[in-house]
Amino acid sequence: MIPFLDLTRQHRALHAELLAALGRVVDSAHFVLGPEGRALEAELAAACGVRHGVGVGSGTDALRLALAAVGVRPGDEVVTPAFSFVASASTIVMAGARPVFVDVDPDTCALDPAAFADAITPRTRAVVVVHLYGHPAPIDAVVAVARAHGVAVVEDAAQAIGATWAGRPVGSWGDAACISFYPTKNLGACGDAGMLVTDRDEVAEHVRRLRHHGDGGRYRHVELGYCSRLDELQAAVLRVKLLHLGRWTDTRRAIAARYRAGLAGLPLGLPVERAEARHVYHLFTVRHPQRDALAAALADLGVGTAVHYPLPVPGQPMFGADERRWPQAARAAREVLSLPCYPEMTEVEIAGVIEAVRAAVARLAPPAVPRPGAEVT
Ligand SMILES: *Cc1c(COP(=O)(O)O)cnc(C)c1O
C-alpha cells in the first residue's frame, strides 16, 4: 500500500525536536500571543518578502480578516475563482459580501485574468486569487487588472508557501495574503493555525486588532472583532518545521519531476508549470476524463489518491448554482485526481506510483479528443 499521505513519517523524524519545542512553551506557560508567535510572524514575513505577519487561528480566519482589513463591507462584490477549496468563497460570505465566481484557466485551474476583468462592476471591492495546488496564479496580470479598477487583491496562498511567480514569492503581490498551517499543508501545524502576510502597515495593524476582539489596547474595544489568535504551541511546532521547509519543497519538486518523466506520453493530463512559476507541489494533480475509474484502478493496485475538488465552488450545495455557467471549473471537478506527493515518500513508492498509473491508464479507454494540458501520444 502506498498511502496518499502519511504525516506520521514526518513526525517520527522530528519527534525529539518537536517535543523539545512544545516543552519550552509548556514550561513558559505563555500560550497565546507570545514570543514563539512573534518570532514565527517575523520568519514567515521574511520568507514571503513582506514586512508583516499576523498569526491567526486558521487560514480561513486569515482570509476572512484580510477581506475586512482591505475594506470589504456588506453589499460589496468580491471576485473569486469557481474552482478552489470552499474557504476561498465562504469567507467572502462571512464578510457580508457577495462572491462573484469566474471560470478558471483550463491548464492550471487558476483565476483567468480576462474573466476577472469582465466580472468587475462598480460594486467590486476585492478579488481573492488562489495559488491552487501550490502553482501560482498569473498574479502580475491579476494585480494589473485590479489596480486599473481600484480593486483590492487578497492572495489565497494556503497551498503555496514558498512558491514564486517571476521570481517573487506568492504572498508579496497583493494587498494581503493568507497562509494555512492546516496539518496536511506543506508547512503544517499539529492542529489549526494560519497567518496573514502583508506589506501594508494599516492592514497588519487592523488584523492584529480584529484577531483580538477589536481591542485598541487596555480593554478598549474599538470595533467588533473576533477571537482568532495563533497558539504558542502551534507556533513552536511551526518554527521547528520551517527549518526543514526548503528541503521538503525541493523534494516535492523532485518527486514531481520523476512523475513527469515516468508518466510522459500517457493519455493523461499532467500538471502544467508555467515558465514564470515555481510550483511547490502541495498536490500533484493529474487529469483524466474517467477519473473515478482511474482512482478505483489505482486503489486496486494499492495506491491512495484524493479528489481536490469534486465540485466547483458555486456548485457546492451551500451555493447551489448551476455549475454549467463555469464550464472549465465543472470539467476540472470531473477530471482531477491527486497522486501521493510528500517529501517522506521512498524511492520504491515513487516508482510504484508511476508503474501503477501506467498500468491503470492502460486499462481505461483512451479519451476521444485531446484535452488542453494533456500529453497525448
Ligand atoms: C486549506 C485552505 C484554506 C483554509 O485554510 P484552513 O487553515 O484550513 O482554515 C483556504 N484556501 C485554500 C485554497 C486552502 O487549501
Side-chain angles (χ1 to χ4, degrees), residues 329-348:
R331 183 177 193 170
R334 288 193 301 270
E335 295 187 349
V336 291
L337 187 67
S338 303
L339 303 180
C341 183
Y342 45 101
E344 299 79 16
M345 288 181 78
T346 64
E347 281 297 314
V348 170

Side-chain angles (χ1 to χ4, degrees), residues 89-131:
S90 59
T91 49
I92 297 168
V93 181
M94 293 176 202
R98 192 169 79 80
V100 175
F101 294 103
V102 300
D103 212 357
V104 293
D105 178 325
D107 292 340
T108 62
C109 294
L111 182 77
D112 174 357
F116 162 42
D118 288 345
I120 291 174
T121 75
R123 303 175 88 103
T124 308
R125 182 68 51 136
V127 60
V128 173
V129 53
V130 184
H131 305 302

Side-chain angles (χ1 to χ4, degrees), residues 306-368:
V307 174
H308 304 92
Y309 298 89
L311 292 171
V313 188
Q316 293 285 352
M318 66 173 283
F319 291 111
D322 183 346
E323 65 181 48
R324 284 173 298 189
R325 287 169 54 200
W326 300 274
Q328 297 302 342
R331 183 177 193 170
R334 288 193 301 270
E335 295 187 349
V336 291
L337 187 67
S338 303
L339 303 180
C341 183
Y342 45 101
E344 299 79 16
M345 288 181 78
T346 64
E347 281 297 314
V348 170
E349 286 174 328
I350 296 165
V353 170
I354 292 169
E355 196 184 325
V357 172
R358 295 193 73 92
V361 168
R363 285 191 201 168
L364 305 171

Side-chain angles (χ1 to χ4, degrees), residues 58-60 84-85 87 130 156 158-159 180 182 185 193:
S58 66
T60 302
S84 184
F85 180 60
V130 184
D156 181 343
Q159 301 185 355
S180 167
Y182 184 75
K185 298 285 159 77

Side-chain angles (χ1 to χ4, degrees), residues 45 48-53 168 171-177 196-204:
C48 294
V50 296
R51 284 184 301 143
H52 306 285
R168 187 171 147 189
S172 69
W173 292 82
D175 294 280
L196 171 128
V197 293
T198 179
D199 225 15
R200 288 182 52 187
D201 298 344
E202 72 283 11
V203 169

